[in-house]
Amino acid sequence: MNMEVTQLEPYILKGSIKVIDRFFSVPVDYAKPDGPHIRIFVRNLIPLESGTDPAAESNLPYLLYLQGGPGFGVDLSFSVDLGTALHKKKYQTLWLDPRGTGLSTPITADIFQTKQMDDEAIAKYLKHFRADNIVRDCETIRHFLLDGKKDPEARKWTIFGQSFGGFCAATYLSFHGDGLKEVFLAGGIPPLVDSPDVVYEALVLKVEERNKVYYSKYPQDVRNVRRILGFLEGNNVVIPNGGNLTVSRWQQLGIQFGSHGGIDRVHQLVFRAITDLDTFGKLSYGLLDSVQNSQSFDTNPIYAVLHEPIYCQGRMASWSAHRVIQKNDRFVWGKVKLMSDDVPIYFTGEMIFPDMFEDYHHLRPLRGAAELLAYDEDWPMLYDKEVLKKNQVKVNAATYYDDMYVNFGLVQQTASVIGNVEQLITNQSFHDGIHKHMDSILTTLFDLSKRERD
C-alpha cells in the first residue's frame, strides 16, 4: 500500500501562505508494487486569508499544478506567484516535482554511476518516467489526501498543466478522468501522435520563422554568428563544467527563440562572443559560463533523454529531430559555411541531437542508454482517443498561435478530438505566456470555465 513518507513542519511565507512540504513513497514500476520505490515531493500552499482554522483549510478544494518539461521540478518563487493568483479562486494548491525531478528522487548521471548500472539497466529504469507514471503518482497522492471525504465530488481535484504538464493532463483525462473536477492548460494541448516526426516537421517551420525574425532584428548577426561558428569549428572550446561548446551546441541557443525576450538574450550572447573574439581572440570565461547557465540539459537530464519518447506510443523515435533537421540546409553548418557570407545559419529549437550526449558533460554517462531508448518501440499508450472524445470534464486552455514548442496546427487537431474544450487563442503570448501575462490569461481561463454563451 502506498502511503505518505513524511510531512515536514509547516511554515508561513510572506503573503500569509502556509506551506506543507510532503513526500510520498511510490513504486518505480506500478506493475510491481512490491518492487523498488522512489519518493515523490509535492509542496502544498494554503492561503491564510480566512485565519488558521484547520477545518477551513481542509475544506479548501485542491488545485494540482503539473510542470512543463519533461524533466523539471517546480520553482518555489513561481509557485508562490501563480499560487497567490489561484488562491483568490478559493483553492489550496499543490506543486508537484514530477518523478525524477527536483526533490522527487532526482535522476542524475552520477546516481546511476554510484549504483553501477549499465546502459540497459539505465534505459529500463528511465522508461518509467513518462506521463503515464506521473499521472499514476498524482492518483496515489489524490487518494491519500481525498479518499476520506464523504462527498464523492470532494474526492476529485482540479489540475493546471503548463506545456508538458498539459500532455500529462491529457493522459490523466484518458485513464483517470474520474478523479478530475476541471482542467486548466497553458500551452499544453498535446499532439495526439505516436512518434515525434510529425511534431518536428512542424517545429522546424516555426523555428525557421523565428530565425528570420532574429536576423531581421539583428542583421549584423548573420556574419557574427558565422564567425563564431567558424571559431568553434576550428578550436576545442571547453565550458566551465567540462562540456564542449561546439557548433551544434551554439545553434541550440535558439531554443530561447520561443519565449518572451529570447531573441534578445541570444543576441546578447552573440554580441559578447564577438566582443571577446575582437578583444582576446578567444571566448572569455564569463561568456562560456553564461552559455552554460542558459542551457539546462546537464542539470535536467530527463529533458534530453526522454524528450522524444514522450511522443512515442508503440513506435520508436530514432533521433527524430536529427533526421528532420537535415532536410533543411539552412540548419546545417557544413552546407551554409560553403555559401556566401550573407547567408544566415539557422539556430535550432527545442530539439535533441545525438551529439548532445558528448557535448554536455553530465549527459555523457547517459549516451548508451539514450541510444537504446531512441530505437526502442515498446512504449505503452499515453492517450485514449475514444475516451477523450467522450470527455465531459471542463478543459480550459490558453493556446498560443506563435508557440514554437507546441505547434498551433497540431493543437487544433487535438482540440477537435477532446470533448468539452474551450480555448483562449492569442498571438500576443509565446509559450511562457503564463509567466509573462499571468493575470490576463488566468482571468480569461476562469471566464471560459463558466461556459457562459453570448
Side-chain angles (χ1 to χ4, degrees):
M1 179 179 178
N2 299 312
M3 58 186 298
E4 188 171 11
V5 175
T6 184
Q7 176 177 308
L8 302 181
E9 183 176 352
Y11 53 95
I12 307 298
L13 295 177
K14 187 175 181 179
S16 298
I17 298 176
K18 180 179 178 180
V19 182
I20 303 175
D21 292 329
R22 302 175 182 269
F23 286 94
F24 295 82
S25 177
V26 301
V28 173
D29 181 355
Y30 276 87
K32 300 177 181 178
D34 295 326
H37 277 53
I38 55 176
R39 295 209 306 173
I40 300 298
F41 174 76
V42 63
R43 176 170 283 121
N44 188 183
L45 301 185
I46 305 169
L48 298 179
E49 296 175 353
S50 301
T52 57
D53 177 21
E57 291 178 13
S58 66
N59 286 330
L60 282 173
Y62 285 104
L63 183 148
L64 170 70
Y65 179 81
L66 297 174
Q67 174 70 314
F72 292 85
V74 182
D75 177 71
L76 175 60
S77 61
F78 172 69
S79 65
V80 170
D81 290 344
L82 181 56
T84 298
L86 294 171
H87 294 160
K88 294 176 182 177
K89 302 297 182 180
K90 305 304 180 184
Y91 291 105
Q92 59 177 309
T93 53
L94 295 168
W95 305 82
L96 177 76
D97 282 351
R99 54 170 48 204
T101 75
L103 295 172
S104 294
T105 311
I107 284 178
T108 59
D110 57 313
I111 291 175
F112 293 131
Q113 291 174 317
T114 300
K115 294 183 177 181
Q116 297 183 320
M117 296 170 67
D118 62 17
D119 292 340
E120 188 173 348
I122 294 171
K124 183 178 180 181
Y125 183 77
L126 287 168
K127 289 188 70 171
H128 298 295
F129 288 77
R130 297 198 309 160
D132 47 358
N133 282 315
I134 293 173
V135 169
R136 292 185 180 107
D137 295 340
C138 293
E139 278 294 275
T140 296
I141 296 168
R142 184 182 67 84
H143 284 299
F144 179 88
L145 295 175
L146 295 176
D147 272 2
K149 300 287 186 181
K150 294 181 180 180
D151 181 359
E153 286 300 305
R155 297 177 203 145
K156 301 179 181 181
W157 60 14
T158 296
I159 60 175
F160 192 119
Q162 154 68 14
S163 187
F164 173 70
F167 294 24
C168 295
T171 301
Y172 214 139
L173 287 168
S174 293
F175 303 109
H176 299 281
D178 56 353
L180 299 177
K181 283 184 181 178
E182 191 166 10
V183 175
F184 293 92
L185 303 176
I189 296 180
L192 299 181
V193 297
D194 54 15
S195 76
D197 282 19
V198 173
V199 174
Y200 288 114
E201 286 165 0
L203 172 63
V204 164
L205 299 177
K206 181 58 70 173
V207 175
E208 183 176 20
E209 178 184 307
R210 294 298 289 162
N211 270 278
K212 291 177 181 178
V213 172
Y214 175 85
Y215 286 116
S216 175
K217 186 170 186 178
Y218 298 110
Q220 70 272 27
D221 281 358
V222 172
R223 289 181 171 83
N224 287 340
V225 174
R226 290 175 64 107
R227 181 182 171 193
I228 292 166
L229 296 194
F231 176 83
L232 293 176
E233 185 178 41
N235 294 272
N236 180 31
V237 180
V238 179
I239 64 172
N241 75 350
N244 300 324
L245 183 53
T246 60
V247 167
S248 176
R249 185 162 179 173
W250 187 272
Q251 287 178 271
Q252 291 158 29
L253 292 170
I255 194 173
Q256 299 183 57
F257 286 179
S259 60
H260 288 278
I263 279 178
D264 300 320
R265 289 193 296 273
V266 172
H267 168 69
Q268 290 305 312
L269 292 172
V270 170
F271 181 43
R272 185 167 184 177
I274 287 297
T275 301
D276 283 350
L277 293 178
D278 287 341
T279 306
F280 308 114
K282 66 175 187 177
L283 301 177
S284 66
Y285 179 92
L287 180 278
L288 297 176
D289 186 60
S290 295
V291 170
Q292 177 179 296
N293 291 333
S294 72
Q295 296 173 319
S296 57
F297 297 105
D298 275 318
T299 52
N300 304 87
I302 289 177
Y303 192 41
V305 179
L306 292 181
H307 202 280
E308 294 195 352
I310 67 171
Y311 297 104
C312 293
Q313 302 182 93
R315 293 183 61 186
M316 67 177 68
S318 62
W319 300 114
S320 177
H322 177 70
R323 289 185 289 103
V324 171
I325 206 78
Q326 298 300 314
K327 300 175 184 178
N328 189 320
D329 289 353
R330 289 294 185 87
F331 291 95
V332 182
W333 174 239
K335 295 180 179 179
V336 174
K337 70 179 181 180
L338 302 177
M339 302 176 186
S340 62
D341 64 2
D342 61 347
V343 176
I345 175 71
Y346 285 167
F347 290 85
T348 53
E350 191 180 40
M351 305 168 181
I352 304 301
F353 305 108
D355 59 12
M356 295 171 70
F357 291 87
E358 177 59 35
D359 292 343
Y360 290 83
H361 179 76
H362 292 290
L363 292 184
R364 290 170 185 164
L366 301 177
R367 179 171 44 197
E371 188 73 10
L372 291 172
L373 291 170
Y375 295 102
D376 192 332
E377 59 185 6
D378 184 23
W379 297 103
M381 300 302 290
L382 295 170
Y383 311 112
D384 186 324
K385 288 185 180 180
E386 293 307 312
V387 171
L388 292 174
K389 288 178 183 177
K390 299 174 184 177
N391 173 62
Q392 295 183 4
V393 178
K394 286 191 291 186
V395 179
N396 316 293
T399 299
Y400 312 123
Y401 182 81
D402 291 316
D403 199 323
M404 199 185 81
Y405 302 93
V406 183
N407 178 263
F408 178 78
L410 296 178
V411 166
Q412 295 315 301
Q413 291 178 23
T414 300
S416 70
V417 171
I418 302 177
N420 206 6
V421 172
E422 292 283 351
Q423 295 181 79
L424 156 66
I425 297 176
T426 177
N427 64 356
Q428 297 304 301
S429 289
F430 291 120
H431 188 68
D432 58 342
I434 194 63
H435 295 259
K436 185 71 173 179
H437 302 129
M438 183 184 297
D439 291 341
S440 61
I441 288 175
L442 286 181
T443 296
T444 304
L445 288 180
F446 278 94
D447 282 344
L448 291 176
S449 172
K450 297 173 184 176
R451 295 296 192 268
E452 296 175 347
R453 308 295 183 186
D454 189 346

